[in-house]
Amino acid sequence: MLIKEDSLNRLYQYARAITNNNDLAYDLVHDAILRSRKYFILNEQAYLKRSIRNLFYSQYRKSLKESLLKEELEVMPLSFDDIIVKKNEVEFILNLLEPIEREMIFLSLVEDHSYKEIAIIMDIKIGTVMSR
């Protein structure tokens, strides 16, 4: 399986949007490609995105359990009146979202997927995508 540079970049962007971490995104894309070589894949991009997603959430759940045991999370409430939209503040707000919410935003706004396509990629019901 030969992956074009453009496809590889899109996979990396997708992984980066979910993880918010350059190194982890690179590792997830690498691991997903290695996994895909074991199987005959009809829709390579969809398979790789789902594989990246599954690998990340497995790691995320593990790290979340570990972090909850170590410290309590403090959340600082923000009102919309206090938010001036600038690049750094948008990034800060995106970091407050759960990875699944960041993933939906990325797939919708950056990748321009429909709700139905997002539901298929994320393996969730379309109503869940529409409600978030």
Side-chain angles (χ1 to χ4, degrees):
M1 165 177 58
L2 184 62
I3 300 175
K4 295 180 182 177
E5 184 177 350
D6 180 53
S7 297
L8 191 60
N9 287 336
R10 289 182 70 190
L11 289 170
Y12 174 75
Q13 287 177 336
Y14 173 71
R16 176 68 176 89
I18 295 172
T19 64
N20 204 28
N21 179 305
N22 292 330
D23 294 332
L24 182 55
Y26 178 82
D27 291 342
L28 289 173
V29 171
H30 178 261
D31 291 346
I33 291 170
L34 288 178
R35 276 184 170 190
S36 71
R37 293 180 183 256
K38 295 179 184 178
Y39 309 103
F40 175 73
I41 308 299
L42 294 177
N43 187 342
E44 179 180 286
Q45 282 291 315
Y47 175 83
L48 289 172
K49 282 183 180 177
R50 183 170 288 186
S51 185
I52 288 168
R53 179 182 187 280
N54 291 343
L55 286 166
F56 170 69
Y57 282 112
S58 293
Q59 293 175 7
Y60 176 73
R61 281 190 290 276
K62 181 180 177 184
S63 69
L64 186 60
K65 288 177 185 175
E66 290 171 0
S67 70
L68 288 175
L69 293 175
K70 292 180 183 177
E71 62 186 62
E72 292 184 18
L73 300 176
E74 293 182 29
V75 178
M76 186 173 72
L78 297 173
S79 71
F80 285 114
D81 295 335
D82 296 337
I83 298 173
I84 300 171
V85 179
K86 294 180 182 176
K87 183 181 180 207
N88 291 339
E89 291 173 347
V90 170
E91 288 176 358
F92 174 77
I93 292 167
L94 285 174
N95 287 334
L96 293 176
L97 297 174
E98 291 293 319
I100 193 168
E101 294 166 330
R102 283 197 311 263
E103 180 180 8
M104 284 183 195
I105 290 170
F106 179 83
L107 290 172
S108 176
L109 300 178
V110 177
E111 292 281 321
D112 200 31
H113 287 289
S114 68
Y115 289 146
K116 183 178 180 181
E117 292 169 332
I118 294 170
I120 291 169
I121 290 169
M122 296 181 68
D123 195 28
I124 58 177
K125 294 181 181 179
I126 191 169
T128 304
V129 175
M130 294 171 67
S131 70
R132 293 190 181 188

